[in-house]
Amino acid sequence: MLNFRGIGVAVLGAALLSTAALAQDRPWPHAPVHGGAETAGTSLSIDQLYRYKSLIGTSPEAYSWAPGGDRFLFLWNDAGYSFRDIWSYSVRTGKKERLTFLGQDSKPEAEEKGIAQAIFLGGDRVAFTLGGQLHIREADGTINKVESDKRAVRKLTLSPDGKHLAFVSGHPVDSRNRVTLGGDLWVRDVAAKGAGSTRRIVGYDDPKIYVNSFQWSDDGSAIAFEQADDRAMPERDIFYYTRDGLQNNRVIRAFPGDETTKATVGKVDLASGDIRYFDRPDAKHHVWDYGLSSDGERLFISGSDMEAKEHRIYVYDTATGARETFYQLREPKHLRPDWKVAWAPGDDGLIILTDRDGWLHLYHQRAAGEVPRAITSGQWEIASFDVDKKGRQIYFTANKSHLADRQIYRVPVAGGAVERVSAPAAGTHEPVYSPDFRHIADWYSNDDMPPELFLVDTGKPGQAKQLTKSPQPDFYKQTWANIGYVEFPSHVDGTNLVARLSLPANYDPAKRYPVIVGSVYSDAVRNQWGGRRAHPTWGLDQYFVGQGYIVLNVNIRGSWGQGREHNQSQYHSYGETDINDLESGVRFLIDKGYADPKRIGIWGSSYGGLMTIMSLSKKPGLYAAGIAGAPATNVWHAYPGQMWIMGPPEGADMPARYEAQSALYQAHGIKDPLMIIHGTRDPVVLYSDTLALVDHMIEREQMFELVTIPGGNHAWASDTLPQARFAFKKMVDYFNRNVRDRK
């Protein structure tokens, strides 16, 4: 018997892991018995779960260390409202201090996000952005708005010598003062207090050419940057109505086969203003990483073709622009562009994160064409890494402990034992390292705890100090879902699959429960509060469990974390292999006695909407009902970058290949209840694609319900709280009628 949040759990015939068990690397014994809780879960309503003064609090975000590594900034609202102000924490004194109070006059119903970024300028001066404008908080606490002629200011970065502040600012493009996502690169003297000290060092007359990202050289004398050129891309009008009448969300948006963004990396010398661009064979190919060597004499660019099948790393001589192919690997069925690259200590070649041997691991390659030397290995994957050049160590996050985890580890560049740095508790870490790598500002969450800020001393691995407490007091009075992890084979090819399972706290093995599969998506199995963070569905999931449902999320093929062979099974297979994996999860729950086979619902948004519609059409009777949010029904209208799964829009197998992966052409088999939720302003998945689908369904006399959200964006549950509550209550009512209460 394992004590799981006060609940006794025993498991039968399944490998089920709890958060508590993962902390000790041991599984739940086998299938849940009655947990002893009085209720299934929370008794709060959707309105009470999603309120302006957030029940789970406002997560601390955007950590930024001072150059000396003795302090860092973070953005937070300790009262739980949406407006984030600036806070600081001193490692030396252990003091946490609120530096700004700009949110105290913000009305909760306005849902203002507050300050977007803050960095130290030296001493106690802080630069920050609010509403797209640059502000400086002086040492005495006074705040001044600077660069007031600029809009959409972002990507604040202090030069290594502390003398200059670099940032990107967008262009007003018409009389309504709309701003492009890109913009120009500016440098401001940190010591300056007034105007006239700022220079535009990279700029363009055409707003469709802009600086996408940049980074300082180690000595602060130059900046490397990525330029994006959208001039050849088509513009599309997305017309929609609101209470103010007809609107037009005009966007630059490519479909497969269209011209796409051209990316070029350059270097600008701060003193002279001279710019050198570094050519690649095809500027339309992706740029995944780039970086200057410590001495500034070399630059690498890591990129791939549009389908992410060939990974290439070029290294350039920054003085002459001469290029050599440093690394190259082509895999015809490669799916995920999870590659990352950085310079090794002493500029002794590159550290490369690649799945060249089947799993995402670290390699050291010292010279062009050399076979990379593996630094780490094993049947687990690395998500991100940073190089401690002075300590000659690599810090990284990985799922070595369990698929759902993201723990912090380190390993010598020379290779050797991998050491866990994060505390021995299961969950997800998102670290920001101090410049000297002595400390980590650590965003941490697990299935039972909303995100909090922790401080990790890397000299004392396995320990952490909690710095924030975000949830409201009544959060701790609720009964929450009993969450664990199950493994089962694919019913099609036997591949091992992993799922996140949310059970009622008073689970009774003698009962067969209604089940919600979803929200379905790739990378859906994470040990963090709410599972996936792309949509705020934590409260919806908890509400369903509180109403007596089980909630299942499957790590479908194409997802991160289970190796290249696992994810490559999704190649050319939208709406096929993925939905078979979902069915395998459903079969598992039925076989093990969790689920009532007549009361299973499915839902997802975007790609998850595609899987929902495909599942209802291809697997009639498996699901009692489905809800598709902003469903991606037509892969001809996907982003070109998604060709890494669906392939290019030409070839001997076209158009059959795209039709097979498009719900628009595969929905003829739908017989079970379907609800579609879609916002009319959506630039990612067009509302007109939903209209095309329902037009066909009406012609075939297939019944459905359509919930239209006027002016709603792609993330229709994230626009406003009233809109989220409305949509979630529609979903609850629909599933209760068609799943839970089905006879």
Side-chain angles (χ1 to χ4, degrees):
M1 208 62 141
L2 174 68
N3 189 0
F4 178 74
R5 225 175 39 227
I7 301 168
V9 180
V11 179
L12 221 341
L16 187 53
L17 303 178
S18 72
T19 297
L22 283 171
Q24 304 171 57
D25 293 322
R26 55 192 174 98
W28 277 3
H30 281 287
V33 298
H34 194 288
E38 294 182 0
T39 60
T42 182
S43 60
L44 297 178
S45 67
I46 292 293
D47 288 341
Q48 292 169 320
L49 288 165
Y50 293 98
R51 61 199 197 195
Y52 293 118
K53 189 179 177 70
S54 175
L55 178 69
I56 62 172
T58 302
S59 62
E61 304 284 350
Y63 312 155
S64 175
W65 284 92
D70 60 332
R71 298 176 294 168
F72 65 88
L73 302 172
F74 61 99
L75 306 179
W76 190 41
N77 188 307
D78 60 337
Y81 293 109
S82 62
F83 194 107
R84 287 184 173 90
D85 268 296
I86 303 172
W87 295 67
S88 71
Y89 179 80
S90 169
V91 174
R92 182 176 55 82
T93 66
K95 180 182 178 182
K96 180 176 65 182
E97 181 183 6
R98 183 174 175 178
L99 300 185
T100 63
F101 295 82
L102 300 175
Q104 60 189 7
D105 296 325
S106 176
K107 296 181 179 179
E109 59 271 17
E111 299 185 56
E112 294 179 287
K113 301 304 180 185
I115 294 170
Q117 185 189 4
I119 65 170
F120 279 112
L121 292 180
D124 292 323
R125 299 180 73 212
V126 173
F128 66 92
T129 58
L130 174 63
Q133 299 225 278
L134 179 62
H135 299 71
I136 293 180
R137 180 191 184 274
E138 301 294 346
D140 62 3
T142 59
I143 295 173
N144 298 305
K145 183 189 295 185
V146 297
E147 312 292 350
S148 57
D149 60 324
K150 299 175 181 62
R151 300 291 184 270
V153 174
R154 60 206 180 279
K155 300 184 184 297
L156 307 181
T157 309
L158 187 67
S159 61
D161 59 12
K163 295 180 179 180
H164 299 98
L165 171 67
F167 60 90
V168 172
S169 174
H171 300 270
V173 296
D174 61 16
S175 60
R176 288 182 292 169
N177 208 37
R178 293 183 301 178
V179 177
T180 63
L181 289 178
D184 298 336
L185 179 59
W186 300 79
V187 169
R188 175 185 171 92
D189 292 341
V190 167
K193 302 260 178 141
S197 62
T198 303
R199 294 178 291 151
R200 186 176 80 163
I201 60 170
V202 181
Y204 315 94
D205 294 330
D206 192 325
K208 291 183 180 179
I209 310 174
Y210 52 91
V211 173
N212 194 42
S213 63
F214 68 90
Q215 53 189 254
W216 284 96
S217 63
D218 281 4
D219 63 2
S221 67
I223 294 177
F225 62 94
E226 180 189 352
Q227 169 194 286
D229 183 349
D230 290 345
R231 286 178 295 178
M233 291 177 64
E235 295 188 24
R236 305 189 189 278
D237 293 314
I238 300 176
F239 293 103
Y240 62 98
Y241 282 93
T242 68
R243 67 186 66 180
D244 298 320
L246 181 65
Q247 310 291 323
N248 182 11
N249 180 25
R250 188 172 181 83
V251 295
I252 299 172
R253 175 76 159 81
F255 294 155
D258 288 341
E259 288 292 324
T260 59
T261 299
K262 294 180 180 178
T264 306
V265 175
K267 176 189 175 185
V268 56
D269 182 83
L270 210 62
S272 67
D274 292 340
I275 298 176
R276 176 181 289 281
Y277 291 97
F278 303 95
D279 294 331
R280 296 181 298 141
D282 192 335
K284 290 185 290 186
H285 284 181
H286 295 291
V287 171
W288 301 114
D289 262 328
Y290 62 95
L292 287 166
S293 58
S294 297
D295 58 15
E297 295 179 359
R298 290 179 293 167
L299 171 91
F300 77 79
I301 301 177
S302 171
S304 76
D305 60 300
M306 289 297 296
E307 297 176 54
K309 300 298 177 277
E310 183 169 6
H311 181 205
R312 285 191 183 188
I313 304 173
Y314 297 114
V315 171
Y316 299 81
D317 182 314
T318 57
T320 66
R323 180 185 75 215
E324 67 176 347
T325 300
F326 190 89
Y327 172 92
Q328 182 176 359
L329 182 65
R330 180 171 180 80
E331 299 172 88
K333 293 186 178 181
H334 193 272
L335 243 67
R336 298 180 59 100
D338 294 315
W339 310 294
K340 293 178 175 60
V341 181
W343 285 99
D347 297 335
D348 183 21
L350 298 175
I351 305 297
I352 305 171
L353 176 63
T354 171
D355 59 354
R356 59 179 290 119
D357 294 322
W359 299 78
L360 281 164
H361 279 287
L362 294 167
Y363 295 79
H364 182 198
Q365 182 172 329
R366 303 181 68 185
E370 181 181 276
V371 176
R373 172 183 59 84
I375 300 173
T376 60
S377 62
Q379 293 188 4
W380 46 275
E381 296 203 306
I382 294 174
S384 63
F385 73 92
D386 284 85
V387 180
D388 174 6
K389 294 182 179 180
K390 185 177 181 180
R392 300 190 66 82
Q393 295 195 100
I394 304 173
Y395 286 78
F396 61 90
T397 57
N399 65 350
K400 189 174 185 292
S401 56
H402 185 264
L403 170 69
D405 274 2
R406 302 293 186 274
Q407 299 292 342
I408 307 171
Y409 301 89
R410 64 186 170 198
V411 65
V413 172
V418 171
E419 181 183 19
R420 182 161 163 172
V421 177
S422 50
T428 293
H429 298 262
E430 294 182 4
V432 177
Y433 305 97
S434 64
D436 56 10
F437 283 86
R438 294 181 59 186
H439 295 92
I440 303 171
D442 184 19
W443 182 103
Y444 172 72
S445 175
N446 63 40
D447 289 327
D448 304 324
M449 186 182 80
E452 298 288 12
L453 170 60
F454 286 76
L455 178 69
V456 177
D457 183 338
T458 59
K460 301 175 182 177
Q463 302 179 35
K465 178 181 179 181
Q466 185 171 344
L467 304 183
T468 59
K469 187 174 182 180
S470 300
Q472 301 304 306
D474 49 339
F475 170 86
Y476 302 100
K477 300 176 183 178
Q478 296 301 307
T479 299
W480 298 112
N482 186 8
I483 299 174
Y485 296 86
V486 294
E487 296 186 16
F488 48 87
S490 162
H491 73 282
V492 175
D493 60 16
T495 296
N496 186 59
L497 300 172
V498 181
R500 184 178 189 264
L501 191 63
S502 301
L503 300 179
N506 62 356
Y507 174 80
D508 181 353
K511 293 175 59 177
R512 299 295 177 265
Y513 286 79
V515 173
I516 300 296
V517 181
S519 71
V520 296
Y521 211 84
S522 57
D523 302 327
V525 176
R526 291 289 297 272
N527 191 330
Q528 60 186 0
W529 182 257
R532 287 185 67 233
R533 294 167 61 195
H535 288 269
T537 56
W538 66 268
L540 180 64
D541 289 349
Q542 293 286 351
Y543 182 85
F544 278 134
V545 172
Q547 295 296 304
Y549 290 88
I550 288 173
V551 175
L552 176 74
N553 299 96
V554 180
N555 198 56
I556 59 171
R557 244 69 73 89
S559 295
W560 181 91
Q562 289 186 260
R564 189 176 63 198
E565 184 177 344
H566 180 276
N567 68 56
Q568 284 187 359
S569 303
Q570 183 61 13
Y571 185 57
H572 288 183
S573 194
Y574 277 136
E576 185 61 33
T577 303
D578 44 16
I579 67 172
N580 285 336
D581 289 348
L582 299 176
E583 181 182 359
S584 296
V586 171
R587 288 182 177 221
F588 169 82
L589 292 186
I590 294 172
D591 290 346
K592 298 302 178 184
Y594 291 94
D596 180 345
K598 295 182 179 179
R599 296 189 295 160
I600 298 174
I602 181 172
W603 88 275
S605 193
S606 192
Y607 168 41
L610 178 154
M611 286 191 282
T612 297
I613 293 172
M614 291 288 212
S615 294
L616 292 182
S617 182
K618 294 184 176 184
K619 303 177 183 299
L622 180 64
Y623 300 100
I627 299 177
T633 58
N634 186 351
V635 300
W636 269 281
H637 291 170
Y639 282 98
Q642 293 170 261
M643 292 190 297
W644 53 276
I645 284 185
M646 64 197 189
E650 65 271 339
D653 57 353
M654 286 293 288
R657 174 165 35 87
Y658 271 24
E659 289 180 355
Q661 298 179 85
S662 296
L664 176 64
Y665 298 94
Q666 301 296 323
H668 50 270
I670 295 177
K671 297 178 181 178
D672 301 306
L674 168 66
M675 172 184 279
I676 300 173
I677 303 174
H678 207 156
T680 57
R681 193 176 189 268
D682 188 346
V684 179
V685 175
L686 306 182
Y687 182 72
S688 58
D689 285 348
T690 284
L691 294 183
L693 172 68
V694 302
D695 185 48
H696 286 303
M697 292 184 70
I698 291 170
E699 184 177 353
R700 293 190 293 261
E701 299 185 40
Q702 294 171 291
M703 303 308 292
F704 63 90
E705 293 187 23
L706 175 61
V707 178
T708 295
I709 301 179
N713 279 300
H714 186 58
W716 45 270
S718 301
D719 288 342
T720 67
L721 276 177
Q723 184 172 299
R725 291 192 291 250
F726 167 81
F728 288 161
K729 283 186 276 190
K730 294 289 288 186
M731 293 176 65
V732 167
D733 176 69
Y734 194 75
F735 277 139
N736 284 349
R737 285 188 284 116
N738 293 288
V739 177
R740 188 192 65 181
D741 300 336
R742 185 183 184 193
K743 304 299 183 183

